[in-house]
Amino acid sequence: MGIKESELVREFLHNPHTACDLSVAKKQEYRETIKRLLVERDAVLVAHYYTDPELQSLAEESGGCVSDSLEMARFGSRHSASTLIVAGVRFMGETAKILSPEKRVFMPTLEATCSLDIGCPADEFYAFCDQHPDHTVVVYANTSAAVKARADWVVTSSIALKVVEHLSDRGEKILWAPDKHLGQYVADQTGAEMLMWDGACIVHEEFKASGIEKLKHVHPDAAVLVHPESPKAVVEMADVVGSTSQLIAAASELSNETFIVATDRGIFYKLQQAAPGKSFLVAPTGGEGATCRSCAYCPWMAMNSLENLVELLEKSPQSDALISNEIIVESAIANRAVPPLQRMLDFGQKHS
Ligand code: 13P
Ligand code: SF4
């Protein structure tokens, strides 16, 4: 169970963190090309808050959406475009495809995955579920389509607390996967009986409570915003714990002028937009003298770039070359993954 360290480090080293620097003129040229091709291909761009701000602003300008993973799922299924371009990580593309099987779904690169997804292989997960048939299976959206297909419920971080509270009130015992930190947070908040899979996000796991404490001494009036994929000691230091959208809302609602933010730094684009004039500091990730692997930067989200988005859109819709960008979910798996996903969307609509 869980991801092998050596595999993870190897993957990480192969992930080009550093998008090559483009001149202002080149960026502008790419942006114009992308906007034109989106219209020509009847496509809409759906981007996550952790992607390059260039992609986030393009999604905004072109009538697409920039959001957390729950809203990405909703937006794609409701939009009239025949093609969805998902800038994010693979599970987001798969969710879009499962909810909109009639649409073609593409990603700038299919290599953009997630440590939670890698750390929860379907065969091991099915065996775990089989050992606990009396538990309601709740899986986090950051998982493969095959794992979702074994679930009773799928949840994202913005809705996990409410769903688990609802199930726990009905007396159900929960089998939770894969993020142990989010699972622990949900269990602590709801008192639910939860059996946990041992997975973690390599980005959020790096945040250090001791570093945040030191930063608080320098900025005593700063509020601490924490994504619940972070370890318990970090969550305990938070003024607000929430999904990416909930953290952005908190930055504009709270009266604080400064915020210490424990999540991927891609979110700073939207934080600054939502609360102009306020200051945002990245929560420390390294311990004393240590080097960090992620530095609040998801290597897989960073694989989405202007360059590979242009490259994707320039391929002809009939081209075989699109095979390396298209999300395909086997229909037997997709059919089984729809009910737990739809349950989440219906629940969200009823309880919003
Ligand atoms: P959100 O659902 O809060 O956008 O989180 C997705 C994610 O991958 C966080 O690391
Ligand atoms: Fe996965 Fe973590 Fe990256 Fe989110 S930040 S996509 S949980 S590895």
Side-chain angles (χ1 to χ4, degrees), residues 229-270:
E229 288 169 10
S230 308
K232 186 170 172 136
V234 173
V235 166
E236 283 173 351
M237 299 206 65
D239 293 288
V240 176
V241 182
S243 72
T244 46
S245 299
Q246 291 161 346
L247 298 183
I248 293 166
S252 68
E253 281 158 17
L254 295 180
S255 58
N256 304 64
E257 288 299 320
T258 305
F259 294 86
I260 298 168
V261 184
T263 195
D264 182 287
R265 62 179 75 205
I267 201 173
F268 281 44
Y269 169 73
K270 270 288 176 186

Side-chain angles (χ1 to χ4, degrees), residues 27-28 31 34-35 38 45 47-49 51-66 87 266 269-270 273 306 309:
K27 272 188 198 166
Q28 200 47 38
R31 295 177 69 87
I34 291 166
K35 283 193 258 183
L38 283 170
L45 179 59
H48 189 266
Y49 293 127
T51 55
D52 184 337
E54 290 286 345
L55 298 180
Q56 296 187 48
S57 63
L58 253 177
E60 289 170 328
E61 277 174 33
S62 60
C65 122
V66 183
Y269 169 73
K270 270 288 176 186
Q273 210 180 61
L306 280 179
L309 182 53

Side-chain angles (χ1 to χ4, degrees), residues 120-193:
C120 190
D123 52 349
E124 289 178 33
F125 179 65
Y126 281 36
F128 185 49
C129 295
D130 290 346
Q131 284 161 19
H132 305 283
D134 55 335
H135 283 62
T136 302
V137 178
V138 181
V139 305
Y140 192 31
N142 301 36
T143 44
S144 66
V147 166
K148 289 185 178 77
R150 183 65 176 78
D152 298 303
W153 289 79
V154 172
V155 294
T156 68
S157 57
S158 68
I159 205 168
L161 272 182
K162 281 186 183 167
V163 168
V164 171
E165 196 165 53
H166 165 78
L167 298 174
S168 176
D169 286 350
R170 294 199 314 206
E172 296 179 32
K173 292 184 283 185
I174 313 290
L175 184 156
W176 170 271
D179 189 341
K180 62 182 175 190
H181 296 303
L182 176 59
Q184 189 58 54
Y185 170 67
V186 171
D188 290 346
Q189 293 295 308
T190 61
E193 193 179 331

Side-chain angles (χ1 to χ4, degrees), residues 36-43 82-83 85 104-106 310-326 328:
R36 175 176 57 78
L37 288 170
L38 283 170
V39 175
E40 283 177 26
R41 306 270 188 257
D42 186 30
S82 59
T83 298
I85 309 289
R104 293 189 78 182
V105 178
F106 297 102
V310 172
E311 229 173 86
L312 159 64
L313 287 165
E314 281 181 336
K315 292 177 186 172
S316 143
Q318 282 77 40
S319 161
D320 286 346
L322 275 174
I323 205 159
S324 58
N325 297 93
E326 182 157 16
I328 307 285

Side-chain angles (χ1 to χ4, degrees), residues 50 89 91 113-116 142 201-204 229 298 300-301:
Y50 294 166
V89 292
F91 77 82
T113 183
C114 164
S115 61
L116 289 166
N142 301 36
C201 160
I202 59 158
V203 180
H204 290 86
E229 288 169 10
C298 175
W300 295 294
M301 289 282 184

